[in-house]
């Protein structure tokens, strides 16, 4: 079975350099901002080896423009972009479809998303794992899925939870910082 020809483009946003990969079926990968173009390219190609730098299709150009607007703080909707998630398992695909319904400035928790999909609270961990493996973060807005109690939780993108909190702040969502693990004696 042959693999579909993949194409990619690196582009600059107000938050740094992003990358996008696509094939004839849709967008397959997205790289959240890094400080340098070569870093974004290296990280992107680590997950999409064999992709060729190409001029974007109209849909990909539109997705790039939407990402640039997003990182400029403009309300942006990514829910209509066609994705190729054929490498994902069926439960992850369901999770991603539900996550794509979270609009600008709206959040949910891993547990609430599991419940929405008809799974028990034990599936919250599965939701978290799917978010960590999300091949197209931002387009599938995994940054809008929080840990229990509305805490930021983890984020596998460059910058970790700090990057997630910044993305949420762009959307007007303010999260509480996690309390320190160790308290000082105060003297």
């Amino acid at each position: 079975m042959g693999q579909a020809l993949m194409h990619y483009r690196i582009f600059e946003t107000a938050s740094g350099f992003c990358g996008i990969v696509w094939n004839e079926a849709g967008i397959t990968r997205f790289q959240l901002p890094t400080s340098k173009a070569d870093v974004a390219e290296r990280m992107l190609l680590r997950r999409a080896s064999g992709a060729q730098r190409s001029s974007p299709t109209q849909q990909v150009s539109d997705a790039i423009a939407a990402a640039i607007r997003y990182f400029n703080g403009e309300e942006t909707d990514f829910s209509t972009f066609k994705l190729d998630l054929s490498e994902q398992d069926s439960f992850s695909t369901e999770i991603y479809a539900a996550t794509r319904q979270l609009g600008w400035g709206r959040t949910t928790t891993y547990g609430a998303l599991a419940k929405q999909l008809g799974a028990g609270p034990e599936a919250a961990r599965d939701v978290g794992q799917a978010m960590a493996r999300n091949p197209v973060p931002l387009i599938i807005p995994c940054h809008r899925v929080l840990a229990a109690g509305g805490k930021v939780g983890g984020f596998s993108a460059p910058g970790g939870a700090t990057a997630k909190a910044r993305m949420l702040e762009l959307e007007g969502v303010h999260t509480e910082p996690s309390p320190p693990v160790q308290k000082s004696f105060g003297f």
Side-chain angles (χ1 to χ4, degrees), residues 153-172:
F155 200 50
S156 59
T162 301
K164 183 176 184 175
R166 264 186 270 169
M167 290 172 73
L168 289 169
E169 286 175 13
L170 278 174
E171 298 181 29

Side-chain angles (χ1 to χ4, degrees), residues 4-7 21-28 84 86:
L5 183 60
M6 294 187 299
H7 309 274
V21 177
W22 69 95
N23 62 26
E24 63 186 25
I27 298 167
T28 63
D84 177 4
S86 60

Side-chain angles (χ1 to χ4, degrees), residues 115-157:
K115 183 177 180 181
Q116 177 185 335
L117 295 171
E122 67 283 352
R125 176 172 279 140
D126 297 329
V127 170
Q129 289 172 348
M131 295 297 113
R133 292 187 312 266
N134 180 0
V136 285
L138 184 61
I139 298 172
I140 296 174
C142 56
H143 64 283
R144 295 178 184 150
V145 183
L146 306 174
K151 294 186 177 96
V152 172
F155 200 50
S156 59

